[in-house]
Amino acid sequence: LKSPPHTARVPVLMELFPDARFVHIVRDPRVVFPSTVNLWKTMAKTHGLQRPEWPGLEEKVLREFRVIYDRLEEARPLFKPGRFHELRYEDLIKNPVGELEKVYAGLELSGFEAVRPRIEEYQRQNASYETNKYEMPAEQRAKVEEHWGEVIRRYGY
């Protein structure tokens, strides 16, 4: 399930699903920030019952991102071998087949060759897909780098 808040719930998920395997896809925080702010604004416009206002939204996003990554770091020692694999989104986009093959290997899953043709077909069908592009003002970028600098450095961004 693609749900970043679940990254902060790893111990509970491990308790509920003791045989679970986890894939953590990390993305450049300087892209995550404007995307997340946009997501919250879009959800409020689409699903809200009032005229949306966003006081403190940027601070909320900055704070919650750190909570998620702090909880993941606390949970790392709990992962048994073959139960956690981490990859960068940018690497996945550049080489989906190769990165998914690494995921299968990292999670000690068999059967990759059986799904390879479907992955390659999916890749061909979606070759023209482009993610949203966001421009971040220098002041906002500096704020993200200040609050999320540890994560930026940890993952080589």
Side-chain angles (χ1 to χ4, degrees), residues 86-99:
E86 195 165 55
L87 68 151
R88 290 168 44 128
Y89 174 83
E90 296 80 5
D91 296 335
L92 179 62
I93 295 307
K94 284 180 192 168
N95 181 13
V97 176
E99 289 300 314

Side-chain angles (χ1 to χ4, degrees), residues 1-127:
L1 175 62
K2 178 190 172 223
S3 183
H6 288 319
T7 306
R9 299 180 180 111
V10 167
V12 171
L13 293 171
M14 291 173 108
E15 187 176 312
L16 292 170
F17 307 101
D19 295 326
R21 290 176 167 93
F22 297 84
V23 177
H24 179 238
I25 303 173
V26 65
R27 192 170 187 187
D28 185 342
R30 290 165 291 223
V31 175
V32 170
F33 180 80
S35 176
T36 304
V37 169
N38 181 63
L39 170 70
W40 279 104
K41 288 181 177 183
T42 300
M43 284 179 31
K45 286 178 188 174
T46 304
H47 302 289
L49 299 176
Q50 298 114 337
R51 183 179 311 267
E53 295 181 16
W54 301 285
L57 177 59
E58 290 186 4
E59 289 73 21
K60 170 187 171 54
V61 171
L62 289 168
R63 184 179 58 253
E64 289 178 357
F65 180 91
R66 279 309 308 259
V67 168
I68 287 169
Y69 275 87
D70 289 349
R71 295 302 165 271
L72 176 61
E73 288 309 305
E74 290 170 8
R76 276 188 195 274
L78 303 176
F79 291 111
K80 296 175 186 171
R83 298 292 176 178
F84 180 79
H85 186 81
E86 195 165 55
L87 68 151
R88 290 168 44 128
Y89 174 83
E90 296 80 5
D91 296 335
L92 179 62
I93 295 307
K94 284 180 192 168
N95 181 13
V97 176
E99 289 300 314
L100 289 173
E101 187 170 20
K102 290 178 189 175
V103 169
Y104 268 68
L107 296 178
E108 300 174 358
L109 296 171
S110 61
F112 181 76
E113 288 309 315
V115 297
R116 178 190 291 270
R118 287 188 271 170
I119 294 168
E120 290 170 342
E121 178 59 26
Y122 181 84
Q123 182 182 4
R124 278 190 295 279
Q125 289 176 359
N126 293 281

